[in-house]
Amino acid sequence: MDWKPDFASETPLYLQIKAFIIHKISLGEWAVGTKIPSQRALAEQFGVNRSTVVTAISDLIAEGLLAGNTKGGTRVINNSWNLLTASPPPDWSSYVQAGTHYPNLPAIQHINRAEFQEGMIRLGTGELSPDLLPSERMKNIFAESSANPFTLGYEEPKGNLALRKQIAQYLQGNGIHTSSSNILIVSGALQALQLISMGLLQRGSAILLEKPSYLYSVHVFQSNSMKLVGLPMDEEGIQTSQIGRYKKGYNASILYTIPTFHNPTGTLMTEERRQALMQACTDEGLPIIEDDAYRELWFDEPPPLPLKARDPHALVLYLGTFSKTLSPGLRLGWVVAPEPVIERLADIKMQNDYGSSSVSQWAAAEWLGRGLYQEHLDEIRKQLKMRRDVAVQLLQTYFAGLAIWRVPAGGFYIWVQLTVDVPMQSLFERALKDGVLLNPGSIYNRHTGNYLRISYAYAKLHELEWGLKRVAILIRDLVGK
Amino acid sequence: MDWKPDFASETPLYLQIKAFIIHKISLGEWAVGTKIPSQRALAEQFGVNRSTVVTAISDLIAEGLLAGNTKGGTRVINNSWNLLTASPPPDWSSYVQAGTHYPNLPAIQHINRAEFQEGMIRLGTGELSPDLLPSERMKNIFAESSANPFTLGYEEPKGNLALRKQIAQYLQGNGIHTSSSNILIVSGALQALQLISMGLLQRGSAILLEKPSYLYSVHVFQSNSMKLVGLPMDEEGIQTSQIGRYKKGYNASILYTIPTFHNPTGTLMTEERRQALMQACTDEGLPIIEDDAYRELWFDEPPPLPLKARDPHALVLYLGTFSKTLSPGLRLGWVVAPEPVIERLADIKMQNDYGSSSVSQWAAAEWLGRGLYQEHLDEIRKQLKMRRDVAVQLLQTYFAGLAIWRVPAGGFYIWVQLTVDVPMQSLFERALKDGVLLNPGSIYNRHTGNYLRISYAYAKLHELEWGLKRVAILIRDLVGK
């Protein structure tokens, strides 16, 4: 949709637009059944008045190519070749509904799209701000010569060996002693979950997890006919007393946890709770997925050791990633697990995508091998701590009396509980209209309606201020205060 | 497994090895149930005599940590912590068998592993030789300044916009008129198939395809409970007369084809057959997946236009990739399809891996935008044609009387039919022992046992000669000629 009418042409604009739409239909890009963009959206894209678009579409409706419906949507109902053949073209809309995989939650799809709207202030985005990403340094790494060769071929099934060795060494600093053969390189922690879902778990089994959890916002397990069973949290992390009962009651095959700077609550699991969790899972023979994406983002002191560092029975599948620290665009993470598990997951990864980008893997190995990653982490910690302080200050200024929250010791998120009764859907929509994108708590479990996940990692500081102030005004407005 | 014993130490080697194995077990890296590497493999890795390894392992068996079986394999059966706890550790072997996704065929797993053995001559590998990959040029692209900014953040759900625009423009040269909104960037054509399988097709439906086909070598559809139904081929491509009958008889939901330089047969579908195929599928309302990975690799004249270039009814989902021309390591391909389909696939891709590497996408956009890709293709075509000529010459020299084949007009493969009766499994194993890795025809459909897929793209020319000569000798040996 990069086309615009030629304003210098003698052909009327509405005829140019008509010709463009016919072109899209005749090429099959807008196949029969496709809902075309709204009149408003088309007018914006073409840079014309809405009435010009209306004229073009009315013509095409009259000619039998489009049809409007009562809700104002317009669909393609025919194309010129249809008259020439006996059979109808494939009904792609029915194919789109047929697949086994769940679509993303509508709210998530909405957010995914809104994130790419120009000028949008993103108060919930779980990424580092673009100006915290080391683009210049990355360019230099590619430009400088290296002891390791740069390869454009496929990598080994488990991933680039130099990178796996670097990760094994790096993990020692976090108390995890492993070797390259126990590591699988994946395209981010989400892919690791996808591989575990496809490769290790049975249909019908359940996954225990924190309630709320990031995991509720994706369908990685549900699409393989598994269900999520939430365990309550307190300020020390997931509660462990019910694990045995839930395991038996729900046929749980694994427990998923984000012990360090939990997404979305920011909770840091204490040393005592970690020990209790390991004991409970050992007693039950229940394996654990430890998602440690945020570990390095501590502010005042390093968090307690990972669960994987206290795992003599190999209960823990350990996930890490560069997405939250160095670059989400690299699309790189890792799994640490017993060898038979790594081999199974590597085999499935080969069947899914033949491995992750060799260019990304090479770059990541350079960052680790040259000590640049640790340097970068030091800098990111400072920046994020400053951002957290600003966000907490802004909340105190604008949200006093409207909400409560805990101050996180690391990571990206403040889990803000509104203490006034606000219709969240209206708040989301009105904020969006004002150019502010929110992540409502319901994404992370439908029973947590009165929360917002506020991220201090992404928005610029003046956006954070403008956005939080604006949201506070909208809340007051909606509750009539 | 980077560890080696310290040969200067006063501790006997077998005790060092014993300590190392205990270390692996105690960390849980070799969990209970794990089959440890063979004595021979361990001896090689440690650089010691096999008898040293045998001594260490015998000790550990006596201590109850390992157990041997009659086939010579050794497994971990216990670890020191086991005695301290009531419940057993998770039985990872049973988890590995529980997942819903099929494992790769044992032959494919074997090949995947053997490909990374040092010095192996790979006669069937479907990749460009490393010296045909433009590593230096790629390095320069990263080092030079660019009109497009380099981003380390996430890309849009459909992929980098600059790259999608470049691909739309590039496809015009192949007769496909589309726009960036109808294109999804994927991590290679295999991932595109995975997304189609998850997102568009129903469990229990069937996929029609050429027999043999590359698609038989992966489980992308079978793992989602679909089946493959092969249609016969001739020298013009897939035969079309049975499509209607097969569609009804097998509940086929889509047809998969590689019309241009087919994998594994090298067949180029003629213009007439393309028209007949489009007509047959239009008559049946049967959508098509057109896998056009090898299109650009023609030798004397460009192939007929893609099916997608003659697709008024939007029957065709079109797949392309950079893996066969520029770099498999980039892990980039694309799908062209109607907008509702692209949006569905993009949504599932976001759920699988949050998009492909931004670094890879940026580099690919530079290759296209600066005209470097077309220059590179010209060079690759010349090199591959020369390699094909050498391979055909070698076959004539060594395989006359043993096999027949057709000379391909492009792509990577010669589909060699053995005309003597050879036990293929023995041939594969004996070749492997001699350092030559073969791709037997049975990978591409179990009823094509007497074929070899020979690739002239990967091995060095002297390896090609040595390898083909060696295989011919083994064949003569096996048939007693």
Side-chain angles (χ1 to χ4, degrees), chain B residues 34-94:
Chain B
T34 304
K35 186 174 167 201
I36 72 170
S38 71
Q39 297 171 347
R40 193 166 63 86
L42 289 173
E44 247 174 53
Q45 280 168 17
F46 299 153
V48 301
N49 288 328
R50 185 160 160 187
S51 62
T52 312
V53 172
V54 170
T55 309
I57 288 179
S58 305
D59 262 30
L60 292 167
I61 290 176
E63 291 168 20
L65 288 171
L66 301 179
N69 67 25
T70 50
K71 288 187 194 148
T74 307
R75 286 183 187 276
V76 179
I77 55 161
N78 207 334
N79 63 45
S80 46
W81 283 270
N82 267 13
L83 310 171
L84 305 176
T85 62
S87 275
D91 176 3
W92 283 115
S93 304
S94 77

XYZ file of all heavy atoms in Angstrom, chain B residues 34-94:
452
model
N 20.465 -40.827 30.449
C 21.263 -40.384 29.300
C 22.192 -41.507 28.837
O 22.847 -42.158 29.652
C 22.138 -39.178 29.688
O 21.297 -38.159 30.193
C 22.936 -38.662 28.504
N 22.259 -41.705 27.533
C 23.252 -42.622 26.978
C 24.525 -41.813 26.751
O 24.500 -40.821 26.010
C 22.729 -43.187 25.652
C 23.618 -44.256 25.082
C 23.019 -44.904 23.832
C 24.097 -45.726 23.160
N 23.805 -45.977 21.755
N 25.595 -42.181 27.362
C 26.826 -41.391 27.206
C 27.507 -41.789 25.894
O 27.197 -42.821 25.303
C 27.773 -41.552 28.425
C 28.433 -42.941 28.437
C 27.035 -41.306 29.739
C 29.546 -43.051 29.487
N 28.416 -40.921 25.390
C 29.090 -41.241 24.124
C 29.814 -42.586 24.201
O 30.176 -43.056 25.291
C 30.084 -40.086 23.960
C 29.503 -38.956 24.757
C 28.792 -39.594 25.905
N 30.063 -43.187 23.057
C 30.720 -44.501 23.028
C 32.146 -44.382 23.552
O 32.740 -43.306 23.560
C 30.746 -45.027 21.602
O 31.654 -44.273 20.838
N 32.685 -45.519 23.969
C 34.065 -45.542 24.467
C 35.035 -45.020 23.405
O 35.965 -44.267 23.696
C 34.433 -46.967 24.876
C 33.558 -47.465 26.033
C 33.742 -48.948 26.308
O 34.340 -49.674 25.509
N 33.214 -49.406 27.447
N 34.762 -45.410 22.172
C 35.631 -44.966 21.076
C 35.587 -43.435 20.944
O 36.607 -42.766 20.819
C 35.170 -45.633 19.775
C 36.151 -45.509 18.637
C 35.796 -46.476 17.509
N 34.490 -46.172 16.930
C 34.286 -45.279 15.933
N 35.307 -44.654 15.401
N 33.089 -45.044 15.470
N 34.350 -42.898 20.977
C 34.192 -41.449 20.820
C 34.859 -40.694 21.980
O 35.539 -39.679 21.773
C 32.716 -41.081 20.742
N 34.690 -41.227 23.185
C 35.314 -40.574 24.343
C 36.831 -40.613 24.237
O 37.510 -39.615 24.493
C 34.840 -41.236 25.646
C 33.386 -40.970 26.044
C 32.998 -41.826 27.259
C 33.158 -39.492 26.359
N 37.337 -41.768 23.835
C 38.799 -41.900 23.712
C 39.328 -40.881 22.710
O 40.365 -40.231 22.942
C 39.158 -43.325 23.290
N 38.614 -40.719 21.607
C 39.030 -39.744 20.600
C 39.015 -38.322 21.153
O 39.957 -37.553 20.980
C 38.065 -39.808 19.419
C 38.703 -40.329 18.152
C 37.672 -40.500 17.065
O 36.945 -39.530 16.778
O 37.575 -41.624 16.517
N 37.898 -37.995 21.819
C 37.770 -36.636 22.336
C 38.826 -36.311 23.381
O 39.334 -35.193 23.431
C 36.385 -36.431 22.944
C 35.323 -36.169 21.900
C 33.935 -36.248 22.475
O 33.749 -36.187 23.679
N 32.942 -36.387 21.605
N 39.120 -37.296 24.229
C 40.083 -37.033 25.293
C 41.526 -37.180 24.811
O 42.458 -36.772 25.493
C 39.862 -38.009 26.467
C 38.497 -37.916 27.109
C 37.939 -39.012 27.755
C 37.766 -36.730 27.073
C 36.690 -38.931 28.350
C 36.510 -36.634 27.663
C 35.972 -37.743 28.297
N 41.691 -37.780 23.638
C 43.042 -38.011 23.148
C 43.773 -39.080 23.943
O 44.968 -38.976 24.189
N 43.042 -40.124 24.388
C 43.672 -41.195 25.176
C 43.382 -42.543 24.511
O 42.579 -42.640 23.592
C 43.111 -41.229 26.623
C 43.363 -39.900 27.324
C 41.626 -41.552 26.629
N 44.024 -43.582 24.988
C 43.716 -44.925 24.512
C 42.329 -45.340 24.981
O 41.885 -44.949 26.056
C 44.718 -45.950 25.066
C 46.068 -45.790 24.412
O 46.148 -45.403 23.237
N 47.111 -46.053 25.173
N 41.709 -46.201 24.178
C 40.375 -46.645 24.549
C 40.407 -47.394 25.884
O 39.480 -47.288 26.681
C 39.838 -47.543 23.425
C 38.422 -47.945 23.663
C 37.750 -48.388 22.395
N 36.583 -49.202 22.722
C 35.862 -49.844 21.835
N 36.196 -49.770 20.558
N 34.827 -50.548 22.202
N 41.488 -48.110 26.155
C 41.555 -48.901 27.391
C 41.493 -48.008 28.629
O 40.970 -48.406 29.669
C 42.843 -49.729 27.411
O 43.962 -48.865 27.385
N 41.988 -46.779 28.502
C 41.914 -45.830 29.628
C 40.463 -45.490 29.932
O 40.035 -45.442 31.094
C 42.695 -44.539 29.276
O 43.965 -44.905 28.767
C 42.854 -43.653 30.486
N 39.707 -45.268 28.861
C 38.286 -44.960 29.027
C 37.560 -46.166 29.624
O 36.727 -46.022 30.532
C 37.661 -44.559 27.681
C 36.151 -44.424 27.801
C 38.270 -43.252 27.180
N 37.885 -47.346 29.124
C 37.225 -48.571 29.612
C 37.436 -48.710 31.125
O 36.496 -49.017 31.869
C 37.754 -49.815 28.864
C 37.259 -51.087 29.530
C 37.321 -49.765 27.391
N 38.654 -48.442 31.592
C 38.940 -48.543 33.024
C 38.058 -47.589 33.832
O 37.446 -47.968 34.838
C 40.430 -48.215 33.298
O 41.224 -49.008 32.421
C 40.793 -48.489 34.740
N 37.983 -46.355 33.360
C 37.185 -45.358 34.081
C 35.720 -45.773 34.130
O 35.065 -45.712 35.183
C 37.331 -43.985 33.399
N 35.198 -46.208 32.986
C 33.780 -46.565 32.918
C 33.486 -47.813 33.756
O 32.464 -47.879 34.451
C 33.338 -46.732 31.446
C 33.275 -45.337 30.802
C 31.997 -47.449 31.334
C 32.871 -45.331 29.359
N 34.383 -48.780 33.737
C 34.188 -49.997 34.543
C 34.068 -49.635 36.024
O 33.199 -50.159 36.740
C 35.358 -50.960 34.353
O 35.518 -51.243 32.988
N 34.912 -48.730 36.453
C 34.837 -48.262 37.840
C 33.472 -47.686 38.156
O 32.867 -47.990 39.191
C 35.885 -47.159 38.061
C 37.152 -47.701 38.718
O 37.449 -48.895 38.482
O 37.818 -46.929 39.437
N 32.979 -46.839 37.246
C 31.713 -46.154 37.494
C 30.543 -47.122 37.448
O 29.542 -46.937 38.135
C 31.525 -45.018 36.476
C 32.524 -43.863 36.672
C 32.514 -42.921 35.470
C 32.215 -43.100 37.955
N 30.664 -48.162 36.622
C 29.626 -49.197 36.604
C 29.628 -49.923 37.953
O 28.581 -50.129 38.568
C 29.851 -50.171 35.426
C 29.545 -49.449 34.100
C 28.971 -51.417 35.570
C 29.817 -50.253 32.848
N 30.837 -50.250 38.413
C 30.952 -50.930 39.710
C 30.374 -50.077 40.835
O 29.785 -50.585 41.786
C 32.418 -51.258 39.988
N 30.507 -48.760 40.726
C 30.001 -47.860 41.771
C 28.522 -47.577 41.629
O 27.937 -46.832 42.419
C 30.799 -46.551 41.753
C 32.239 -46.754 42.220
C 33.138 -45.554 41.953
O 32.610 -44.444 41.757
O 34.367 -45.740 41.942
N 27.894 -48.118 40.571
C 26.446 -47.982 40.438
C 25.985 -46.698 39.774
O 24.791 -46.385 39.791
N 26.904 -45.948 39.186
C 26.480 -44.719 38.518
C 26.114 -44.966 37.066
O 25.231 -44.332 36.506
C 27.585 -43.660 38.592
C 27.788 -43.044 39.975
C 29.038 -42.167 39.988
C 26.573 -42.221 40.391
N 26.822 -45.894 36.418
C 26.567 -46.217 35.016
C 26.165 -47.686 34.903
O 26.423 -48.474 35.792
C 27.838 -45.995 34.167
C 28.448 -44.594 34.151
C 29.713 -44.595 33.264
C 27.453 -43.568 33.618
N 25.504 -47.996 33.773
C 25.247 -49.395 33.459
C 25.461 -49.606 31.970
O 25.084 -48.768 31.148
C 23.813 -49.778 33.848
N 26.097 -50.738 31.644
C 26.269 -51.072 30.229
C 25.114 -51.946 29.784
O 24.397 -52.515 30.603
N 24.883 -52.007 28.471
C 23.921 -52.997 27.988
C 24.579 -53.896 26.951
O 25.728 -53.671 26.557
C 22.633 -52.326 27.473
C 22.877 -51.513 26.222
O 23.820 -51.769 25.472
N 22.038 -50.531 25.992
N 23.826 -54.875 26.488
C 24.419 -55.887 25.610
C 24.860 -55.311 24.276
O 25.767 -55.833 23.642
C 23.405 -57.009 25.338
O 22.183 -56.392 24.928
C 23.151 -57.821 26.592
N 24.236 -54.217 23.862
C 24.618 -53.616 22.576
C 25.860 -52.746 22.695
O 26.263 -52.101 21.736
C 23.471 -52.773 22.035
C 22.302 -53.591 21.521
C 21.298 -52.684 20.840
C 19.976 -53.389 20.619
N 18.857 -52.446 20.707
N 26.405 -52.639 23.913
C 27.622 -51.851 24.061
C 27.377 -50.423 24.492
O 28.303 -49.677 24.748
N 26.116 -49.993 24.576
C 25.824 -48.637 25.028
C 25.952 -48.536 26.543
O 25.779 -49.520 27.252
N 26.271 -47.356 27.044
C 26.385 -47.139 28.478
C 25.478 -45.995 28.892
O 25.498 -44.935 28.262
C 27.842 -46.791 28.850
O 28.695 -47.801 28.319
C 28.024 -46.715 30.350
N 24.672 -46.230 29.937
C 23.730 -45.209 30.396
C 24.003 -44.794 31.825
O 24.502 -45.563 32.621
C 22.286 -45.738 30.329
C 21.757 -45.809 28.944
C 20.313 -46.275 28.908
N 19.958 -46.465 27.526
C 19.536 -45.484 26.709
N 19.364 -44.269 27.192
N 19.274 -45.715 25.451
N 23.567 -43.559 32.121
C 23.616 -43.087 33.502
C 22.412 -43.685 34.222
O 21.279 -43.574 33.739
C 23.531 -41.547 33.549
C 23.553 -41.053 34.996
C 24.666 -40.925 32.747
N 22.635 -44.370 35.348
C 21.488 -44.959 36.042
C 21.280 -44.370 37.429
O 20.302 -44.667 38.085
C 21.604 -46.499 36.167
C 22.922 -46.883 36.856
C 21.484 -47.171 34.822
C 22.890 -48.301 37.405
N 22.188 -43.538 37.882
C 22.037 -43.041 39.238
C 22.914 -41.814 39.388
O 23.810 -41.566 38.590
C 22.483 -44.117 40.234
C 21.761 -43.960 41.562
O 21.326 -42.872 41.923
N 21.635 -45.054 42.288
N 22.622 -40.984 40.419
C 23.575 -39.945 40.780
C 23.539 -39.792 42.294
O 22.600 -40.230 42.951
C 23.289 -38.634 40.031
C 21.957 -38.050 40.389
O 21.585 -37.982 41.545
N 21.224 -37.622 39.370
N 24.537 -39.180 42.814
C 24.742 -39.229 44.257
C 23.574 -38.639 45.048
O 23.293 -39.080 46.146
C 26.038 -38.502 44.623
O 26.086 -37.263 43.944
N 22.884 -37.640 44.469
C 21.777 -37.025 45.192
C 20.550 -37.924 45.255
O 19.705 -37.744 46.090
C 21.373 -35.702 44.552
C 22.314 -34.606 44.876
C 22.245 -33.759 45.931
C 23.475 -34.241 44.150
N 23.294 -32.874 45.908
C 24.070 -33.155 44.832
C 24.105 -34.741 43.001
C 25.232 -32.536 44.378
C 25.249 -34.129 42.554
C 25.809 -33.055 43.247
N 20.467 -38.855 44.324
C 19.280 -39.716 44.280
C 18.988 -40.371 45.616
O 17.846 -40.547 46.001
C 19.484 -40.839 43.259
C 18.935 -40.423 41.915
O 18.637 -39.252 41.712
N 18.788 -41.367 41.017
N 20.062 -40.734 46.291
C 19.906 -41.463 47.538
C 19.320 -40.590 48.627
O 18.794 -41.073 49.612
C 21.274 -42.020 47.957
C 21.987 -42.773 46.823
C 23.420 -43.102 47.212
C 21.215 -44.038 46.467
N 19.404 -39.296 48.433
C 18.984 -38.376 49.487
C 17.510 -38.012 49.411
O 16.958 -37.475 50.353
C 19.808 -37.084 49.418
C 21.321 -37.273 49.466
C 22.026 -35.934 49.300
C 21.730 -37.947 50.770
N 16.875 -38.224 48.291
C 15.503 -37.741 48.120
C 14.542 -38.889 47.866
O 14.931 -39.968 47.430
C 15.404 -36.760 46.942
O 15.772 -37.469 45.765
C 16.273 -35.551 47.130
N 13.255 -38.610 48.120
C 12.239 -39.631 47.974
C 11.822 -39.851 46.520
O 11.663 -40.964 46.060
C 11.014 -39.256 48.808
N 11.620 -38.734 45.783
C 11.090 -38.836 44.417
C 12.205 -38.942 43.393
O 13.269 -38.363 43.567
C 10.258 -37.596 44.094
O 8.963 -37.770 44.555
N 11.929 -39.644 42.314
C 12.954 -39.719 41.273
C 13.003 -38.397 40.496
O 12.028 -37.651 40.483
C 12.444 -40.835 40.371
C 10.963 -40.818 40.559
C 10.713 -40.365 41.964
N 14.138 -38.099 39.851
C 14.224 -36.915 38.992
C 13.319 -37.135 37.778
O 12.889 -38.253 37.531
C 15.693 -36.886 38.594
C 16.141 -38.295 38.681
C 15.347 -38.904 39.785
N 13.019 -36.072 37.049
C 12.174 -36.275 35.875
C 12.866 -37.223 34.904
O 14.075 -37.157 34.720
C 12.044 -34.868 35.273
C 13.173 -34.081 35.848
C 13.484 -34.689 37.171
N 12.094 -38.093 34.326
C 12.641 -39.031 33.355
C 12.632 -38.336 31.996
O 11.658 -38.394 31.262
C 11.759 -40.284 33.346
C 12.210 -41.259 32.283
O 13.235 -40.987 31.612
O 11.538 -42.286 32.118
N 13.728 -37.627 31.699
C 13.748 -36.795 30.496
C 13.551 -37.622 29.242
O 13.011 -37.132 28.248
C 15.048 -35.982 30.425
C 15.023 -34.797 31.349
C 15.821 -34.590 32.428
C 14.137 -33.663 31.291
N 15.491 -33.408 33.047
C 14.466 -32.821 32.367
C 13.098 -33.298 30.440
C 13.798 -31.624 32.615
C 12.437 -32.107 30.683
C 12.785 -31.277 31.757
N 13.979 -38.872 29.285
C 13.805 -39.690 28.078
C 12.336 -39.837 27.733
O 11.950 -39.818 26.574
C 14.433 -41.066 28.264
O 15.784 -40.911 28.610
N 11.487 -39.962 28.774
C 10.063 -40.096 28.464
C 9.497 -38.764 27.980
O 8.633 -38.733 27.113
C 9.292 -40.607 29.680
O 9.103 -39.569 30.614
